[in-house]
């Protein structure tokens, strides 16, 4: 009996629901005056960029007297794209001599602002988004937005739905959680590139090797004496003492020069007395004076410093800079002429590229180069470092298939002389379609990129590439100028398509 009553109640509910005048039917479906079902309005989506902001907004076609709800996604652009977490958004509907606006003072969730507006008059309008964040202001305008007089007209004029095709959905909520960015493919001057290896070297004249001029036992002067220490010009670095055990050649020369000077001085003074009485000629007096002056010069040339004697030498820094290396140990016995340390100004460096001989005819056209160290991702350009071409080899070195090509560059503190680098030599430039190297992904020797076709839609495109200069790569086919390619985060898109899972969306249409 109880089952029969339940079945009867269900049948009654269905009869009421199927009646075109019932409130249930009106709530579930839209009808025309004749009671025919109307098609539903499909949501519109726009993706626009300024140099500061990306806007991805979804809303249904605007109808007079009907509240329209906007799910507006705002991304602050920069090296990485991040959701705008703080700020206000003012939405204005401008046109037909009127203006309506609504302001959201905070996002519902970081990056997503919910806005609602009810159009009052049909016609063509602008949707104006005024963006105010703690760090910047911006404005984005959507032109030629129609407000329809009624829903029936809006439905009749909406375009036929197009299939998504091979588009991949990757939500803003996903992109905001990872390192993500995109950039348009652009036609730019692009140089022919020769990719090779090279090395950072110290520039000649920017380093000085310190040597000793006597033999003896060396001792370090001062504290914190270690490679990398900053030292001013004239700073005392070492003391070498012979301890009267070793008689250096320089010490003997100093003794001889001092003896010669004493003899020449006596002869000159004696000649000065004799010429007064005209016992000697003026010529003999001038010769005695010349010998005295030569003896003085000789003593100065063999004296190391005012602190020098034949048993001791104080050694100072010949120029300011930093102590590159120390070649001896404290207390070690050293021989005259032996290198003790190297001082470097480190203001200039050499970039030497080792170029295959097959590129020799192109070397004269090379004017600049990009390069990066093997332990970092940052790419440097010789132009930005005040670089200039010093030389390139006209012959290959013995037992080497390479020709050296050398630039002089400023040292900005990022380079260590002797380090190995990857070099991209640049010759004559010509217009080419390029994208950042970071946009490329590779599968079994085939290169592809992800192209952003809409705010949350992407396509995987195979591309044919040509040369790369370390920062950009030339695209021969697969994408067109102006299409936005994912420059960071492409691998995360690949992983999301493999997993087949998406986070909760939460967009309103």
């Amino acid at each position: 009996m109880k089952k029969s009553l339940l079945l009867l109640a269900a049948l009654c509910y269905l009869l009421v629901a199927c009646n075109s005048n019932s409130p249930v039917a009106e709530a579930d479906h839209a009808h025309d005056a004749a009671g025919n079902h109307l098609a539903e309005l499909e949501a519109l989506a726009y993706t626009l960029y300024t140099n500061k902001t990306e806007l991805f907004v979804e809303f249904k076609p605007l109808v007079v007297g009907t509240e329209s709800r906007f799910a507006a996604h705002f991304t602050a652009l920069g090296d990485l794209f991040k959701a705008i977490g703080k700020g206000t958004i003012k939405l204005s509907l401008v046109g037909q001599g009127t203006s309506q606006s609504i302001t959201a003072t905070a996002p519902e969730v970081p990056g997503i602002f919910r806005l609602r507006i009810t159009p009052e008059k049909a016609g063509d309008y602008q949707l104006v988004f005024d963006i105010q964040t703690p760090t910047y202001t911006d404005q984005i305008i959507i032109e030629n937005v129609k407000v329809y007089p009624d829903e029936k007209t809006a439905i009749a004029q909406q375009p036929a739905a197009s299939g998504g095709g091979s588009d991949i959905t990757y939500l803003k909520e996903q992109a905001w959680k990872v390192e993500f960015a995109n950039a348009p493919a652009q036609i730019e001057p692009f140089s022919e590139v020769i990719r090779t290896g090279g090395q950072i070297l110290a520039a000649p004249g920017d380093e000085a090797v310190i040597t000793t001029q006597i033999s003896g036992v060396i001792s370090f002067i001062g504290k914190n004496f270690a490679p990398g220490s900053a030292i001013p010009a004239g700073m005392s670095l070492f003391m070498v003492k012979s301890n009267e055990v070793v008689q250096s050649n320089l010490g003997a020369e100093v003794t001889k020069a001092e003896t010669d000077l004493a003899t020449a001085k006596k002869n000159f003074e004696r000649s000065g007395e004799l010429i007064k009485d005209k016992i000697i000629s003026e010529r003999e007096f001038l010769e005695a004076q010349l010998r005295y002056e030569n003896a003085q010069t000789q003593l100065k040339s063999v004296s190391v410093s005012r602190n020098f004697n034949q048993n001791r030498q104080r050694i100072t820094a010949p120029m300011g800079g930093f102590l590159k290396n120390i070649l001896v140990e404290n207390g070690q016995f050293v021989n005259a002429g032996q290198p003790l340390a190297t001082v470097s100004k480190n203001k200039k460096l050499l970039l030497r590229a080792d170029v295959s001989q097959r590129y020799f005819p192109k070397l004269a056209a090379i004017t600049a180069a990009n390069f990066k160290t093997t332990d970092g991702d940052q790419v440097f350009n010789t132009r930005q470092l005040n670089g200039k071409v010093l030389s390139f080899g006209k012959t290959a070195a013995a037992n080497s298939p390479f020709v050296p090509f050398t630039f002089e560059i400023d040292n900005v503190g990022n380079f260590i002389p002797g380090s190995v680098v990857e070099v991209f030599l640049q010759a004559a430039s010509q217009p080419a379609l390029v994208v950042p190297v970071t946009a490329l992904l590779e599968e079994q020797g085939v290169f592809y990129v992800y192209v952003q076709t809409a705010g949350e839609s992407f396509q995987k495109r195979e591309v044919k590439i040509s040369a790369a200069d370390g920062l950009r790569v030339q695209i021969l086919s697969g994408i067109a100028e102006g299409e936005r390619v994912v420059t960071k985060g492409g691998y995360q898109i690949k992983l999301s398509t493999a997993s087949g899972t998406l986070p909760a969306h939460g967009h309103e249409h």
Side-chain angles (χ1 to χ4, degrees), residues 71 229 274 325 329 353 366 390-391 432:
S229 302
L274 293 176
N325 53 36
E329 295 182 1
I366 292 173
L390 285 186
S391 64

Side-chain angles (χ1 to χ4, degrees), residues 190-196 369-372 376-381 422-426 435-440 466-474:
F190 185 78
S191 301
E192 182 181 358
V193 174
I194 300 173
R195 183 176 179 178
T196 186
N370 289 339
F371 65 97
K372 62 180 180 179
D377 295 327
Q378 186 176 4
V379 178
F380 302 90
N381 182 268
E422 186 177 9
V423 184
F424 303 86
L425 297 171
Q426 299 173 343
V435 299
V437 170
T438 54
L440 283 183
S466 182
D469 64 3
L471 291 173
R472 304 167 300 165
V473 60
Q474 182 180 2

